[in-house]
């Protein structure tokens, strides 16, 4: 540590710290445009000028390393005049279109011009004009406003790993451009909007729709992938206007993937807003009482072993535990939350968690990815892997079809047989020599006939590498959705003599209750099975239903979710569900009354007490309890197949019900993959 004096106050900072960091330790606010703590230092906006003793001129604090005994002034006359001059230059060509700019009211340039700029301008000439660039359906550009801070260039190159932006020209002719005019090829494009300090990059889907002071802000969590990114939902009246990331260093840092950010327009498309009952082969509107009675009539005389339930990947823990309790009261042990048929052993938590934790990726020095494409399955987590790789601290190997992960990796053979022989390969030597090796198993590797053998093989490999110790657990399963781990924690899997998903679909039950299970092919359900679909969109599950119960989406209810690392988080209601739709656990509570098996809770607090009673991990919100290593391995039978792995997501933008219902995601899919938008039911 070294000592630095800032405005007469002595502070201690680590060796190698910059003057800007020293000023922040001292509690001084330093204006900046180009500097961002997660990006490389550019030092090109000069707004962060400070005065250093014995320096002939002000210095850019973001790029100036401090030395022991250095004295810094942040508010001297020299600094004030320097900042005013810099601001005057920045505004020379910046248009005065604040009244129509979507960034108005939350613009760094506006705020700092008022705080640090002068009270008049000497500029009288015409401002320059810069043509706008096309960056795709998500990011709108008004390049006249650009101040060449290069944050977007550095983000796309360093964080997203897609170096498609850069600068051309010099001086007044300098422009930020994407070289070839096409959509950005990254799943993190929306973060460019957040880091732009002016209105040059804004959100195209919601352009000219809002002012920030009109919006109600609700803190919540995302469930469209298993990272559990912390988000802020901005709404106006009954409408969600935008979704922004919240900073959580251990989960998503300050980034958010594009599908969770922009797919909320699905809330207005093909929603289920009233109960439906199939009569004479046609689905017809019904009251809640009629829908529940139709289920009760069908259940008469049906034994518990002929009743089954499937929970979808977006279901909150409250609704999952309510459905489990209802099925138990009806005498059924036919439960499954693995819509993809993944061979996951739910007997111990460490068998299905990302045990390293998301933040723990930055401690690993070797990674073997088995049957997963984290770039599409969890873009924010993939960015964390890329950061560690680009720091030179991690070597990555991939067992699966070759894909662009945005970072260098060794492509191994694409079949599970490679897993069996990896220990004797060159990359096996890399894993053995690593101090903190990781193995990442994707859901696609487990949703196969030999999925149980793959899981057991990956576990055995981790043990042979000494990757599971008291101080380090390198065995990881990467899930796809935010509700999958919570359902596993609640034991929503076949009980004693219970049937799994395959058996239930193949005629093993007479009544099948689907709780938001939209990833199941309805054609696999045996004809004659009575299907109750409870969900929020008229998607795959609803197409086969005999009774439809309209539920609420994750943005329309208070819910508990567990991310892929086992972190319990709470989502909060931002808007109300449409029409007669209700929260899912309340629907199940009302149904249980009509079915003659009333559930013993009426309030959300009581349901959450039930969660803790079923599994104590739900008592620790925003915590990742470390599982104690015990003996034994996941149950795995059979031999590894030679069939190559297949990734579960091929079209990132349509990977879930929100993506399939979103018009914005349809545009992105057409731009990226050339896919046509799906036809509406009426078409």
């Amino acid at each position: 540590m070294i000592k630095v004096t800032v405005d007469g106050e002595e502070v201690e900072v680590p060796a190698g710290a910059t003057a800007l960091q020293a000023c922040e330790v001292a509690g001084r606010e330093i204006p900046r445009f180009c500097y961002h703590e997660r990006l490389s230092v550019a030092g090109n906006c000069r707004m962060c000028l400070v005065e250093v003793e014995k320096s002939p001129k002000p210095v850019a604090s973001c790029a100036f390393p401090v030395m022991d005994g250095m004295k810094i002034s942040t508010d001297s006359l020299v600094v004030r005049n320097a900042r005013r001059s810099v601001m005057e230059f920045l505004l020379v060509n910046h248009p005065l279109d604040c009244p129509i700019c979507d960034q108005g009211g939350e613009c760094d340039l506006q705020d700092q011009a008022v705080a640090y700029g002068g009270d008049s301008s000497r500029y009288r000439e015409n401002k320059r004009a810069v043509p706008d660039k096309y960056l795709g359906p998500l990011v709108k550009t008004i390049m006249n406003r650009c101040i060449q801070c290069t944050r977007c260039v550095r983000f796309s190159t360093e964080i997203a790993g897609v170096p498609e932006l850069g600068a051309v020209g010099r001086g007044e002719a300098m422009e930020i451009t994407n070289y070839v005019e096409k959509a950005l090829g990254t799943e993190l494009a929306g973060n460019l909007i957040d880091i732009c300090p002016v209105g040059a990059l804004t959100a195209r889907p919601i352009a000219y729709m809002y002012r920030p002071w009109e919006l109600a802000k609700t803190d919540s969590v995302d469930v469209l992938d298993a990272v559990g990114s912390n988000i802020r939902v901005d709404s106006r009246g009954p409408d969600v206007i935008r979704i922004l990331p919240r900073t959580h260093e251990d989960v998503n840092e300050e980034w958010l993937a594009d599908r969770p950010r922009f797919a909320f327009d699905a809330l207005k498309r093909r929603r289920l807003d009233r109960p439906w009952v199939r009569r004479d082969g046609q689905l017809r509107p019904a009251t809640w009482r009629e829908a529940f009675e139709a289920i009760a009539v069908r259940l008469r005389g049906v034994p518990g072993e002929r009743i089954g339930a499937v929970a979808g990947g977006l279901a909150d823990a409250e609704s999952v535990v309510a459905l489990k309790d209802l099925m138990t009261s009806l005498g059924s042990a036919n439960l499954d939350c693995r819509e993809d048929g993944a061979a996951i052993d739910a007997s111990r938590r460490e068998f299905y968690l990302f045990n390293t934790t998301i933040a723990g990726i930055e401690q690993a020095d070797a990674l073997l990815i088995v049957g997963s494409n984290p770039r599409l399955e969890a873009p924010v987590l993939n960015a964390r892997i890329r950061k560690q790789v680009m720091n030179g601290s991690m070597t990555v190997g991939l067992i699966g079809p070759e894909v662009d992960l945005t970072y260098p990796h060794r492509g191994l053979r694409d079949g599970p047989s490679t897993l069996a022989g990896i220990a004797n390969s060159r990359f096996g030597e890399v894993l053995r020599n690593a101090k903190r090796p990781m193995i990442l198993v994707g859901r696609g590797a487990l949703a196969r006939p030999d999925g149980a053998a793959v899981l057991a093989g990956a576990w055995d490999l981790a043990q042979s590498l000494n990757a599971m110790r008291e101080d380090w657990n390198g065995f990881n399963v990467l899930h796809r959705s935010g509700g999958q781990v919570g359902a596993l924690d609640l034991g929503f899997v076949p009980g004693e003599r219970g049937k799994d998903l395959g058996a239930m679909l193949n005629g093993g039950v007479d009544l099948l209750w689907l709780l938001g299970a939209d990833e199941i092919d309805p054609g696999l359900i045996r004809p004659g099975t009575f299907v109750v679909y409870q969900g929020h969109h008229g998607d795959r599950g609803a197409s086969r239903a005999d009774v439809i119960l309209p539920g609420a989406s994750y943005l329309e209810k208070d819910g508990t979710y567990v991310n892929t690392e086992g972190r319990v988080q709470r989502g909060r209601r931002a808007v109300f569900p449409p029409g007669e739709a209700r929260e899912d656990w309340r629907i199940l509570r009302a149904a249980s009354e009509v079915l003659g098996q009333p559930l013993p809770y009426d309030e959300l607090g009581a349901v959450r007490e039930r969660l803790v009673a079923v599994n104590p991990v739900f008592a620790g919100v925003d915590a990742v309890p470390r599982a104690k290593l015990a003996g034994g391995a996941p149950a795995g039978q059979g031999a590894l197949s030679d069939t190559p792995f297949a990734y579960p997501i091929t079209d990132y933008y349509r990977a879930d019900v929100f993506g399939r219902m979103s018009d914005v995601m349809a545009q992105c899919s057409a731009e990226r993959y050339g896919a046509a938008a799906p036809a509406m039911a009426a078409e």
Side-chain angles (χ1 to χ4, degrees), residues 460-587:
D460 292 341
L461 177 61
Q463 284 192 320
S464 68
L465 297 171
N466 194 28
M468 291 185 287
R469 316 183 296 263
E470 287 298 326
D471 63 330
W472 179 255
N473 190 335
F475 179 80
N476 304 285
V477 176
L478 178 59
H479 297 273
R480 285 184 49 190
S481 302
Q484 291 172 334
V485 174
L488 291 170
D489 282 341
L490 292 170
F492 204 89
V493 291
E496 186 177 358
R497 293 189 298 276
K499 302 180 179 71
D500 63 7
L501 176 68
M504 287 189 281
L505 297 180
N506 200 32
V509 295
D510 295 328
L511 185 144
L512 182 62
W513 197 302
L514 303 179
L515 177 61
D518 291 302
E519 305 306 317
I520 297 174
D521 181 359
L524 298 177
I525 302 176
R526 180 69 65 87
T529 304
F530 189 87
V531 177
V532 178
Y533 175 78
Q534 181 177 340
H536 40 77
H537 279 89
D539 196 31
R540 297 170 179 168
S543 65
R544 173 62 178 81
D546 294 286
V547 174
I548 295 176
L549 306 176
S553 74
Y554 74 102
L555 297 172
E556 299 164 340
K557 60 185 174 184
D558 294 323
T560 302
Y561 304 92
V562 186
N563 73 351
T564 193
E565 63 181 346
R567 184 184 301 271
V568 177
Q569 300 187 106
R570 294 269 170 82
R572 293 178 176 83
R573 181 176 60 202
V575 294
F576 287 92
E580 299 178 43
R582 296 292 183 268
E583 293 172 297
D584 290 292
W585 76 265
R586 294 186 184 277
I587 294 173

Side-chain angles (χ1 to χ4, degrees), residues 138-378:
L138 302 180
V139 181
K140 179 180 176 63
T141 64
I142 298 119
M143 301 310 294
N144 286 336
R145 303 170 183 162
C146 179
I147 61 172
Q148 290 85 45
C149 71
T150 69
R151 279 188 181 182
C152 56
V153 176
R154 285 174 285 148
F155 174 85
S156 62
T157 302
E158 299 167 11
I159 306 297
V162 182
E164 296 178 344
L165 294 176
V168 297
R170 299 184 66 186
E172 192 177 22
M174 179 178 174
E175 296 181 20
I176 302 297
T177 178
N178 55 345
Y179 306 119
V180 178
E181 191 167 285
K182 66 181 183 66
L184 295 174
T186 174
E187 300 76 28
L188 299 168
N191 296 286
L192 295 171
I193 300 165
D194 296 337
I195 64 173
C196 181
V198 296
L201 304 178
T202 54
R204 184 181 293 273
I206 55 173
Y208 310 121
M209 286 179 56
Y210 69 97
R211 283 301 191 189
W213 54 83
E214 301 174 333
L215 307 179
K217 301 170 177 61
T218 306
D219 290 347
S220 190
V221 294
D222 166 61
V223 300
L224 300 190
D225 62 36
V227 173
S229 298
N230 285 226
I231 60 175
R232 192 189 82 194
V233 185
D234 289 357
S235 58
R236 183 175 58 198
D239 301 322
V240 172
I241 301 298
R242 65 179 181 181
I243 295 178
L244 300 176
R246 287 188 293 128
T247 300
H248 194 307
E249 296 295 341
D250 293 335
V251 180
N252 58 302
E253 297 181 296
E254 63 182 81
W255 313 127
L256 184 62
D258 287 342
R259 196 170 72 249
R261 183 189 291 265
F262 290 108
F264 62 84
D265 66 310
L267 292 174
K268 298 295 183 182
R269 292 171 59 85
R270 298 179 67 176
R271 288 302 303 273
L272 301 175
D273 59 359
R274 67 179 68 179
W276 297 77
V277 174
R278 191 177 297 275
R279 299 189 182 97
D280 301 324
Q282 297 291 326
L283 282 171
R284 304 183 187 279
T287 64
W288 281 106
R289 185 75 186 184
E290 290 171 343
F292 294 150
E293 288 178 348
I295 300 171
V297 169
R298 184 63 181 83
L299 277 175
R300 287 175 189 163
V302 178
E305 61 268 18
R306 299 296 299 175
I307 304 170
V310 180
L314 304 184
D316 57 291
E318 288 85 354
S319 61
V320 171
V321 76
L323 182 57
K324 181 181 180 181
D325 288 346
L326 177 59
M327 291 295 111
T328 301
S329 67
L330 295 174
S332 173
N334 305 323
L335 310 172
D336 212 335
C337 61
R338 302 161 296 185
E339 294 177 276
D340 54 359
I344 296 176
D345 186 343
S347 61
R348 278 170 41 197
R349 212 168 185 239
E350 60 266 33
F351 289 163
Y352 57 82
L353 287 187
F354 200 94
N355 296 289
T356 300
T357 72
I358 297 172
I361 292 172
E362 298 185 27
Q363 302 176 32
D365 49 2
L367 169 62
L368 176 65
I369 301 175
V370 181
S372 174
N373 181 359
R375 177 178 177 180
L376 300 187
E377 296 170 35

Side-chain angles (χ1 to χ4, degrees), residues 102-126:
D102 278 339
Q103 198 82 328
E106 50 187 7
C107 172
D108 291 345
L109 186 62
Q110 273 186 349
D111 296 341
Q112 294 185 33
V114 172
Y116 302 101
D119 60 355
S120 61
S121 172
R122 294 174 289 175
Y123 191 74
R124 297 292 180 266
E125 290 78 8
N126 293 327

